Amino acid sequence: MTEPDQIPRIGRNESTEERMDRNWMELIQELRVLQTGVQILGGFLLTLPFQARFSELDDWQQNLYLFNVMTAALTTVLIVLPVSVHRRLFRRGLKATLVSSADVITKWALAGVAILITGSASLVFDVTAGRTAGLVAGGGIILVLLVFVVGMPLWLQRRAGATNGNSKDG
C-alpha cells in the first residue's frame, strides 16, 4: 500500500526475461489478428478467377489482381516468419533477438497488409465503378492508412512521451 503523499510507481515490476516473454506474446497476438484478415482477403482473391466476369478484366485489372495475390502471399510469409524464427532460436537464450526481429517483421507485415487493402479496394472499385473510381479509392485508402496506421501511433507516442517523460514499455 502506498502512502498518500507518495507518487505511484510508473512501469512494471518485471525482469528482462519476463518483459521479453510478455512482448513476444503480445507480438504473437497481433500476428494472429493480421493472419486472419490476410487469409480472408487472400482467399477471396483466389476465388476471383473462377467468377464469370473475370475474363472481362482488362490488362491493368489483371495485373493489379496478380499484384494483390502476390502481396497476399508475401504478407502471409511475413506473418508466419516470426514462428519460423522462433523455432530456429528456441531454447538458445536469444529471446531479445527473437522479439526484436519479430517486431521488425511485424512492421513489414503491417505494410504488406496496407498495400493489400489498398490494391484490393482499388481493384474492386476499378471493376465496378471505373478506373478513376479505382484510383481515387486507392489514393483515399492510402491517405487514411497513413493517418491512422502511421500518424496516429506516432502522435500517441509523442503525446505519451510528453506526459510520461519518454518512458518505454519495451
Side-chain angles (χ1 to χ4, degrees), residues 110-121:
L110 282 168
V113 169
I115 293 167
L116 183 57
I117 290 168
T118 302
S120 297

Side-chain angles (χ1 to χ4, degrees), residues 11-71:
R12 298 173 187 258
N13 187 19
E14 59 188 1
S15 67
T16 301
E17 291 83 9
E18 290 168 333
R19 185 176 71 249
M20 289 296 117
D21 289 343
R22 178 178 51 81
N23 287 344
W24 173 249
M25 292 310 297
E26 289 174 5
L27 276 165
I28 291 300
Q29 286 301 103
E30 292 168 6
L31 289 167
R32 284 181 183 142
V33 171
L34 283 175
Q35 183 178 13
T36 301
V38 170
Q39 285 177 330
I40 290 169
L41 191 48
F44 164 73
L45 287 170
L46 293 176
T47 65
L48 289 181
F50 303 103
Q51 304 302 314
R53 283 190 58 203
F54 189 79
S55 61
E56 298 172 18
L57 297 182
D58 63 25
D59 286 344
W60 166 259
Q61 293 165 337
Q62 287 180 9
N63 288 331
L64 183 55
Y65 167 78
L66 292 172
F67 174 80
N68 288 336
V69 170
M70 187 58 68
T71 302

Side-chain angles (χ1 to χ4, degrees), residues 52-162:
R53 283 190 58 203
F54 189 79
S55 61
E56 298 172 18
L57 297 182
D58 63 25
D59 286 344
W60 166 259
Q61 293 165 337
Q62 287 180 9
N63 288 331
L64 183 55
Y65 167 78
L66 292 172
F67 174 80
N68 288 336
V69 170
M70 187 58 68
T71 302
L74 293 174
T75 301
T76 301
V77 168
L78 287 172
I79 290 170
V80 299
L81 184 56
V83 175
S84 174
V85 172
H86 180 261
R87 287 292 89 210
R88 187 71 181 146
L89 301 182
F90 186 65
R91 292 188 180 166
R92 296 182 188 246
L94 298 171
K95 182 68 73 110
T97 300
L98 173 65
V99 171
S100 175
S101 65
D103 176 58
V104 171
I105 293 165
T106 301
K107 289 174 184 171
W108 281 103
L110 282 168
V113 169
I115 293 167
L116 183 57
I117 290 168
T118 302
S120 297
S122 295
L123 178 61
V124 169
F125 272 81
D126 191 306
V127 169
T128 58
R131 182 71 28 91
T132 302
L135 294 172
V136 168
I141 290 172
I142 287 172
L143 289 175
V144 168
L145 287 168
L146 286 173
V147 168
F148 288 112
V149 177
V150 177
M152 185 173 282
L154 290 172
W155 176 74
L156 290 170
Q157 182 181 20
R158 269 192 235 113
R159 185 174 162 202

